[in-house]
Amino acid sequence: MALYSEKVMDHFRNPRNVGTIEDADGIGEVGNAKCGDIMKMYLKIEDDIIKDVKFETFGCGSAIASSSMATELIKGKPVAEAMQLTNKAVAEALDGLPDYKMHCSVLAEEAIQAALEDYYAKNPDKKPAE
């Protein structure tokens, strides 16, 4: 059996939504000190919809694939839906990750959460009531 699924390899070789958004509404950066991976997510939000999302990732193939898939899963979606994205959903969308690479999908979830927290910090009036 192959170590990585075809989807992981595709998103690693051909990552979607790579880059930055100059006037991003929310930016989140997270890292894993143990493996050295760093992810940065940029969000452009209009009318409570994620109109654009870009990422920069310094890390292994699983980290790049997780970042790419996570952006695909939230692009064009309502902010409330993006807030619910889990690392398990990212891993499942990639047709699985090896157990020792699951932390990469966790980083993707955390980077999106950090970008959304930044957005709400800049726009407290848009934050939903808890």
Side-chain angles (χ1 to χ4, degrees):
M1 176 171 146
L3 185 60
Y4 296 109
S5 72
E6 282 300 314
K7 280 190 183 175
V8 170
M9 294 308 296
D10 181 41
H11 277 268
F12 166 62
R13 290 184 181 123
N14 307 293
R16 284 68 151 176
N17 306 306
V18 175
T20 62
I21 299 174
E22 289 302 318
D23 59 343
D25 296 308
I27 301 171
E29 185 171 353
V30 297
N32 182 318
K34 197 163 97 172
C35 71
D37 293 344
I38 299 170
M39 282 183 195
K40 194 167 187 178
M41 292 277 178
Y42 301 83
L43 301 176
K44 190 69 181 162
I45 300 169
E46 293 174 24
D47 299 322
D48 212 38
I49 302 290
I50 297 176
K51 293 292 186 184
D52 199 11
V53 55
K54 301 271 189 224
F55 77 91
E56 295 178 302
T57 293
F58 177 85
C60 65
S62 294
I64 292 165
S66 292
S67 301
S68 175
M69 180 57 81
T71 63
E72 289 285 280
L73 291 171
I74 67 168
K75 193 171 188 176
K77 300 285 195 293
V79 172
E81 195 173 318
M83 289 174 64
Q84 303 302 315
L85 183 71
T86 65
N87 74 295
K88 286 187 171 77
V90 173
E92 285 172 11
L94 288 168
D95 292 337
L97 287 170
D99 287 345
Y100 67 96
K101 290 294 186 177
M102 282 300 287
H103 69 274
C104 296
S105 63
V106 171
L107 278 178
E109 175 188 339
E110 290 174 347
I112 289 167
Q113 294 298 321
L116 289 168
E117 287 172 18
D118 180 53
Y119 169 69
Y120 286 131
K122 294 174 182 171
N123 301 279
D125 57 310
K126 306 236 189 221
K127 188 169 186 170
E130 306 239 345

